[in-house]
Amino acid sequence: MNAPRFTAIVHRGFLEVLRLGLLVTLGLPQIAASELESRTIRLANHPALAPDGSLLAFSWRGEIWTSQVNGTQLTRLTNNEAVDDQPLFSPDGNSLAFVSNRTGTSQLFVMAIDGSSLRQVSYHSEGYSLEDWFPDGKSLLAIGSRD
């Protein structure tokens, strides 16, 4: 069996991901596998390119995903009822920062690019939006709401 592939197209700030192949292994419970095979993943948000240009991260259906830029190795990194959004690669390409409302407000989280080592790094009661990493990769630039 051939590995699943997709093509990514950036258009007007959105990422449209066309999946070709079998999607049964992705575990998307809202859509039957047979229906998913013929669907297009549309309007995935916040595409982010790894510093070395080999990996693409994006959010779709409230989860964080990555793939190789050639359309192979589509990987779902998060899987929960919260909305995970705004993925950004660290300057060294080893971590992804993102925003999630899994604690009730939009907080900042960081994880390894394989989805492991997830940790919350902000705790403001009104939440944050993620802007960028600092060049040294040790801090995040974020905008916080006032209570």
Side-chain angles (χ1 to χ4, degrees), residues 2 4-5 9 45 52 64 67 74 76 91 94-95 102 104 108 119 123 133 140 144:
N2 292 335
R5 293 180 53 89
I9 304 163
N45 293 302
D52 68 2
I64 304 296
S67 79
L74 180 63
R76 184 181 193 170
N94 292 324
S95 299
R102 62 185 68 198
L108 305 179
R119 66 188 190 281
Y123 298 91
W133 286 83
L140 295 170

Side-chain angles (χ1 to χ4, degrees), residues 81-125:
E81 294 182 18
V83 175
D84 299 332
D85 202 13
Q86 301 178 334
L88 284 174
F89 283 95
S90 61
D92 65 7
N94 292 324
S95 299
L96 272 171
F98 65 98
V99 176
S100 178
N101 67 356
R102 62 185 68 198
T103 62
T105 59
S106 295
Q107 300 298 325
L108 305 179
F109 290 79
V110 175
M111 66 182 163
I113 60 169
D114 65 1
S116 65
S117 304
L118 177 68
R119 66 188 190 281
Q120 183 176 347
V121 296
S122 70
Y123 298 91
H124 186 345
S125 61

Side-chain angles (χ1 to χ4, degrees), residues 1-7 17-27 36-37 41 65-76:
M1 176 181 274
N2 292 335
R5 293 180 53 89
F6 76 97
T7 302
V17 180
L18 172 64
R19 283 287 284 127
L20 304 172
L22 187 62
L23 296 176
V24 176
T25 60
L26 295 180
L36 206 57
E37 289 176 21
I41 296 173
W65 300 74
T66 59
S67 79
Q68 298 292 315
V69 294
N70 67 1
T72 60
Q73 298 180 359
L74 180 63
T75 305
R76 184 181 193 170

